[in-house]
Amino acid sequence: MHSLWQLEKAFVKEVVATLPAGNHYNTVSTVIRNLEEKGYVSHTAFGKTHQYYPIITIEAYRKQFMQTATQKFFDSSYKEVVSFFAKEEKISAAELREILAIIENKENKA
């Protein structure tokens, strides 16, 4: 998806060119078709070849991904998500204060 967001429209060979060596054309083609089946990508046909493009923004994908991950792995608790990153030392106290300021700012506007 990152390659398609970056390229905006691309043939499979163009996507392969953006990926690290070792990603085979057939594998990338299969992944893109799976993304299309899931509703993230569409295509324009040019004879037997297809030019693919994303139909979901990175922001919408991120939101959907986080909602799904939070439901599946953290019992729908965003507090558990933040606690996980704090315990794993992936988020600092300063970053947590920034998050708290964002929350408080939203509450003050409401």
Side-chain angles (χ1 to χ4, degrees), residues 48-107:
K48 291 184 178 183
T49 189
H50 297 95
Q51 185 180 46
Y52 295 94
Y53 54 92
I55 56 175
I56 187 170
T57 65
I58 192 168
E59 294 82 11
Y61 182 86
R62 183 182 296 143
K63 183 177 180 179
Q64 182 180 343
F65 173 84
M66 287 306 299
Q67 286 175 338
T68 301
T70 301
Q71 288 169 351
K72 285 184 177 181
F73 301 109
F74 298 98
D75 297 323
S76 297
S77 170
Y78 288 96
K79 176 185 157 213
E80 291 298 321
V81 173
V82 175
S83 296
F84 169 80
F85 288 116
K87 290 173 188 170
E88 293 291 316
E89 298 180 7
K90 303 293 184 191
I91 192 167
S92 69
E95 290 169 320
L96 287 171
R97 283 191 285 277
E98 287 178 35
I99 293 168
L100 186 56
I102 292 167
I103 294 168
E104 289 173 343
N105 189 29
K106 280 190 170 191
E107 288 175 355

